[in-house]
Amino acid sequence: ESEIYSDSWHCDSRTTDVLKLFVCLSDVTEDHGPFQILPRDYTIELIEDGYQRTRNKMPNEFVDPDRVVKATGASGTAMLCNTTKCFHRAGHVGKGNIRDIIQFQFVPAENPLPADTEDWVNSVVVHPSEPN
């Protein structure tokens, strides 16, 4: 009856320049509750039909299942997407199953990394949309 994790269709509330790479750490089938996303053009159609870019519990019946893209496949399967611009959600994990996935976020640098620094990692500034 209630949302335990991000299993309702939604768009993230971040700046639009953040790309996310989801990598499956284990084999993922439909029974493992794959990450699901809708293409940008379809997301725009849904928004134009009145759905907000927030967690307003868009009914599953409203979403065309043929337009849902799911991160299923062998361990190492990856999906690169912009979760601010596309409706997405977590799938429902079937009883006795798990879904291990890691997420990498890519954001543009405000300045080039210093060329003369061997310890460049200490020069990286956290993106304004991320907590320190």
Side-chain angles (χ1 to χ4, degrees), residues 110-123:
E110 290 184 16
N111 300 303
L113 293 174
D116 60 346
T117 302
E118 288 184 30
D119 189 24
W120 63 267
V121 73
N122 290 320
S123 301

Side-chain angles (χ1 to χ4, degrees), residues 54-71:
T54 60
R55 296 175 188 271
N56 63 351
K57 305 279 186 185
M58 181 170 48
N60 281 334
E61 303 80 42
F62 192 76
V63 175
D64 179 354
D66 292 333
R67 299 193 65 186
V68 176
V69 179
K70 298 179 182 180

Side-chain angles (χ1 to χ4, degrees), residues 25-93:
L25 300 178
S26 57
D27 294 350
V28 177
T29 67
E30 195 68 40
D31 293 333
H32 296 96
F35 170 78
Q36 302 173 26
I37 194 162
L38 303 179
R40 176 73 179 130
D41 62 337
Y42 188 42
T43 295
I44 290 170
E45 286 178 37
L46 294 172
I47 290 170
E48 288 174 350
D49 286 343
Y51 287 95
Q52 303 294 317
R53 295 171 59 104
T54 60
R55 296 175 188 271
N56 63 351
K57 305 279 186 185
M58 181 170 48
N60 281 334
E61 303 80 42
F62 192 76
V63 175
D64 179 354
D66 292 333
R67 299 193 65 186
V68 176
V69 179
K70 298 179 182 180
T72 57
S75 177
T77 297
M79 181 180 291
L80 181 68
C81 53
N82 187 323
T83 56
T84 304
K85 292 185 172 189
C86 297
F87 277 122
H88 62 282
R89 70 179 187 161
H92 294 125
V93 179

